[in-house]
């Protein structure tokens, strides 16, 4: 057996990997430089994978079947069409190893503690400039949330569908549109998939409609999670509260914190640091990194982080990050890099690519957007409260209620136009928009039945 064959055999027979020093001990007749040169050739040929630096660098064998799997298994491989940096390639080299070859690791508090808002940057200055240029929607200083409200109908469909798709939801984009716009569930789909889409819709509406007051605090985060997790968790008490038990991460050697008090303390630090970050994209990406890493909830952590990452973008009237066309395997590999290595480069590369995809969609429809009706914008809360009052008081004549509340609270010069607006809103009312007015389907059904009875 040649020295080259012996060298490769030693690497392949070491499932936990082997260092150069260990190889030279096993093969005393092989010179160090010869071994280094031959190992480099093995790496180029795809027969060996290296991880680590200096003396701690370990080499892992890749047999022919495994090599084929890595190249052809689209379910697990990071897509080649998404450009990644050399640092990201290093992360992929490690997380592509079999589970048994990766070192079990717990939550690294230093990863969070070392981040200093507005001093530490996950996104470089040039990257932030690039993202702001891509995501800019207006030259003027519009009120917070103006753009997200203008595109809300499209946003509800795209973000609900794409975020659910990353969780294995099989609803198509068209199915999602029918569900959100017309309340029609897709045939042949599990109830859990329908619930997931509707939960996204409600959570997005919650963020957009409360953008003036929403910030990264306990209240906002718990309510986003509660909206996303409604009717989806084994224990309903886990909706919108800190995780009370240990969790395992599928296909990962990462073990998050398990003590509720420690999780609560770490979450306070995450939110405190997030609120201090001045740049919208850095703030967005910080939440994409640290919420899933902490795993503060029993489940639905990544979904919560994807919506939370949009909060600063909504507030700054930037294009949203919808995750359209983001492959599930790319997202899962990128988060594994954070979980197991506390490294953000691969997730950063995916974030930039995903945001560019989102902006291409939304800037294309920008010119088709009509300017928000100033009257509707000024009195939006009043309109919602009036619609809620009408539907929850089915015994009263809607037109009488509208006249009374408008006359009591609206300046005379705007009363006629606002009455017309509310009547038009009432005519368009359907199950797909009830959450906007704080209404339940049962309340809407009772109101419709009362109206039909009166007309009959």
């Amino acid at each position: 057996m040649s020295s080259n064959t012996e060298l490769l055999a030693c690497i392949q027979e070491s499932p936990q990997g082997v260092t150069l020093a260990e190889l030279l001990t096993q093969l005393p007749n092989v010179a160090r430089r010869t071994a280094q040169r031959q190992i480099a050739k093995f790496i180029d040929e795809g027969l060996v994978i290296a991880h680590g630096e200096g003396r701690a660098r370990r080499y892992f064998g890749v047999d022919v079947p495994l090599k084929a799997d890595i190249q052809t298994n689209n379910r697990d491989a990071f897509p080649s069409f998404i450009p990644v940096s050399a640092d990201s390639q290093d992360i992929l080299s490690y997380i592509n190893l079999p589970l048994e070859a990766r070192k079990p690791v717990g939550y690294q508090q230093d990863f969070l503690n070392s981040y200093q808002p507005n001093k530490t940057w996950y996104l470089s200055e040039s990257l932030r400039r690039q993202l702001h240029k891509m995501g800019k929607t207006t030259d003027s200083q519009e009120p917070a949330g103006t753009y997200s409200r203008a595109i809300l109908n499209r946003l509800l469909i795209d973000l609900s569908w794409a975020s659910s798709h990353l969780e294995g939801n099989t609803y198509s984009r068209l199915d999602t549109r029918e569900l959100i716009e017309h309340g029609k569930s897709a045939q042949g789909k599990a109830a859990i998939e329908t619930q997931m889409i509707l939960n996204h819709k409600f959570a997005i509406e919650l963020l957009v409609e409360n953008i003036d007051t929403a910030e990264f605090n306990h209240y906002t985060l718990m309510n986003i999670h509660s909206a996303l997790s409604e009717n989806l968790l084994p224990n309903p008490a886990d909706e919108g509260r800190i995780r009370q038990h240990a969790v395992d991460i599928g296909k990962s050697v990462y073990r998050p914190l398990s003590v509720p008090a420690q999780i609560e303390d770490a979450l306070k630090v995450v939110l405190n640091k997030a609120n201090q970050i001045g740049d919208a994209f850095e703030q967005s990406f910080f939440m994409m990194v640290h919420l899933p890493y902490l795993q503060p909830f029993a489940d639905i952590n990544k979904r919560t982080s994807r919506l939370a990452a949009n909060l600063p973008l909504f507030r700054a009237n930037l294009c949203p990050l919808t995750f359209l066309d983001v492959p599930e395997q790319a997202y899962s590999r990128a988060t594994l890099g954070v979980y197991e290595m506390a490294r953000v480069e691969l997730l950063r590369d995916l974030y930039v690519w995903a945001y560019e995809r989102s902006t291409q969609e939304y800037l294309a429809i920008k010119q088709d957007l009509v300017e928000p009706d100033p009257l509707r914008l000024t009195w939006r809360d009043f309109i919602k409260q009036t619609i809620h009052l009408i539907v929850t008081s089915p015994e009263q004549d809607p037109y009488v209620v509208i006249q009374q509340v408008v006359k009591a609270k609206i300046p005379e010069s705007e009363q006629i136009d606002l009455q017309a607006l509310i009547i038009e809103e009432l005519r368009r009312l359907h199950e797909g928009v009830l959450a906007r007015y704080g209404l339940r389907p049962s309340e809407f059904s009772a109101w419709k039945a009362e109206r039909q009875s009166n007309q009959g």
Side-chain angles (χ1 to χ4, degrees):
M1 182 182 293
S2 70
S3 60
N4 291 349
T5 305
E6 287 182 316
L7 192 63
L8 182 58
C10 284
I11 296 173
Q12 291 177 331
E13 291 167 5
S14 303
Q16 302 303 317
V18 60
T19 66
L20 178 61
E22 290 167 344
L23 283 171
L24 295 177
T25 299
Q26 295 178 50
L27 302 170
N29 295 328
V30 178
R32 174 180 287 271
R33 288 190 177 180
T34 301
Q36 289 173 324
R37 185 168 57 251
Q38 191 56 46
I39 290 171
K41 185 178 179 183
F42 290 153
I43 292 172
D44 288 340
E45 293 172 350
L47 299 173
V48 168
I49 292 174
H51 176 65
E53 300 295 337
R55 294 180 180 178
R57 190 172 180 84
R58 303 187 76 81
Y59 302 100
F60 300 84
V62 178
D63 57 26
V64 173
L66 181 57
K67 183 181 178 184
D69 286 345
I70 288 174
Q71 291 175 342
T72 62
N73 189 345
N74 290 332
R75 180 173 298 176
D76 293 326
F78 193 92
S80 59
F81 57 81
I82 299 177
V84 296
S85 63
D87 287 334
S88 295
Q89 290 287 3
D90 185 48
I91 295 171
L92 282 170
S93 295
Y94 180 69
I95 61 178
N96 281 338
L97 295 173
L99 273 176
E100 57 270 21
R102 288 158 20 212
K103 180 182 177 183
V105 62
Y107 184 80
Q108 305 295 306
Q109 189 68 46
D110 285 348
F111 178 40
L112 174 60
N113 290 344
S114 63
Y115 186 93
Q116 300 299 316
N118 308 312
K119 294 181 181 178
T120 305
W121 298 100
Y122 288 153
L123 304 174
S124 67
E125 184 179 355
S126 60
L127 262 185
R128 298 196 306 276
R129 279 200 309 269
Q130 176 187 345
L131 291 165
H132 278 282
K133 185 177 180 180
M134 286 193 294
K136 187 177 181 182
T137 64
T138 177
D139 292 327
S140 58
Q141 290 296 317
E142 300 283 357
T146 299
Y147 184 70
S148 56
R149 290 191 182 100
I151 60 166
L152 181 59
N153 291 340
R154 175 73 179 264
L155 177 65
L156 289 174
I157 295 166
D158 289 347
L159 183 50
S160 296
W161 173 72
S163 181
S164 297
H165 188 67
L166 286 173
E167 301 301 323
N169 194 301
T170 61
Y171 258 71
S172 70
R173 204 164 170 184
L174 182 59
D175 290 336
T176 303
R177 180 176 180 174
E178 285 296 302
L179 177 61
I180 287 177
E181 292 189 348
H182 306 294
K184 295 180 181 177
S185 302
Q187 292 187 346
K189 302 298 183 184
I192 191 172
E193 294 187 293
T194 303
Q195 184 77 59
M196 187 188 296
I197 298 280
L198 291 175
N199 286 0
H200 272 87
K201 172 183 177 292
F202 179 64
I204 296 163
E205 287 178 328
L206 193 69
L207 267 185
V208 173
E209 297 307 318
N210 293 280
I211 200 68
D212 296 335
T213 56
E215 58 182 27
F216 287 127
N217 55 28
H218 192 274
Y219 174 83
T220 298
L221 197 64
M222 294 301 142
N223 277 276
I224 293 174
H225 182 263
S226 176
L228 286 169
S229 61
E230 182 182 359
N231 205 24
L232 291 180
L233 298 179
N235 181 3
D238 285 331
E239 296 172 10
R241 77 165 182 181
I242 293 295
R243 175 165 51 87
Q244 302 295 303
H245 52 78
V247 292
D248 288 327
I249 307 295
K251 299 182 181 179
S252 178
V253 294
Y254 173 59
R255 300 293 177 264
L257 293 173
S258 58
V259 179
Q262 293 179 334
I263 299 171
E264 183 83 61
D265 288 344
L267 183 59
K268 288 178 182 177
V269 177
V270 169
L271 294 174
N272 180 52
K273 287 180 182 285
N275 272 322
Q276 294 179 56
I277 298 172
D279 182 85
F281 288 105
E282 181 72 14
Q283 195 177 41
S284 168
F285 186 65
F286 178 86
M287 294 301 285
M288 279 269 293
V289 169
H290 282 283
L291 264 189
Y293 184 62
L294 177 57
Q295 294 280 303
F297 304 111
D299 197 2
I300 310 185
N301 290 280
K302 287 187 289 188
R303 271 168 267 179
T304 303
S305 76
R306 291 195 287 270
L307 262 63
N310 268 294
L311 173 55
L313 308 183
F314 292 167
R315 203 160 43 200
N317 289 318
L318 292 160
C319 274
L321 174 59
T322 59
F323 301 91
L324 287 171
D325 301 325
V326 173
E328 185 279 330
Q329 65 268 34
Y331 187 77
S332 62
R333 305 312 273 176
T335 52
L336 277 180
V338 177
Y339 291 162
E340 299 189 14
M341 304 174 74
R343 288 182 57 179
V344 305
E345 293 92 338
L346 186 57
L347 186 60
R348 176 203 63 201
D349 291 347
L350 180 62
Y351 180 93
V352 174
W353 181 85
Y355 191 70
E356 184 172 11
R357 299 290 289 185
S358 293
T359 58
Q360 288 168 352
E361 287 277 342
Y362 279 81
L363 293 180
I365 64 170
K366 179 183 174 184
Q367 54 267 45
D368 298 329
L369 294 174
V370 296
E371 286 296 317
D373 185 328
L375 193 65
R376 189 188 298 273
L377 190 61
T378 301
W379 298 105
R380 63 182 185 276
D381 291 336
F382 175 80
I383 293 171
K384 289 172 188 174
Q385 291 162 9
T386 304
I387 297 289
H388 184 275
L389 175 62
I390 291 169
V391 175
T392 54
S393 307
E395 72 285 352
Q396 298 189 48
D397 185 319
Y399 302 106
V400 172
V401 173
I402 292 171
Q403 287 177 336
Q404 289 175 344
V405 296
V406 168
K407 186 176 181 180
K409 297 185 178 180
I410 304 301
E412 187 174 352
S413 60
E414 297 181 331
Q415 288 180 7
I416 294 176
D417 289 340
L418 197 57
Q419 284 183 39
L421 259 181
I422 296 172
I423 290 170
E424 184 61 28
E425 200 95 346
L426 199 59
R427 286 174 179 161
R428 290 201 302 260
L429 195 62
H430 61 83
E431 288 189 357
V433 297
L434 294 182
R436 185 184 304 173
Y437 306 101
L439 293 168
R440 298 187 182 91
S442 59
E443 293 171 327
F444 181 52
S445 298
W447 179 74
K448 281 199 304 182
E450 182 71 21
R451 296 296 301 152
Q452 289 167 357
S453 173
N454 291 339
Q455 291 170 358

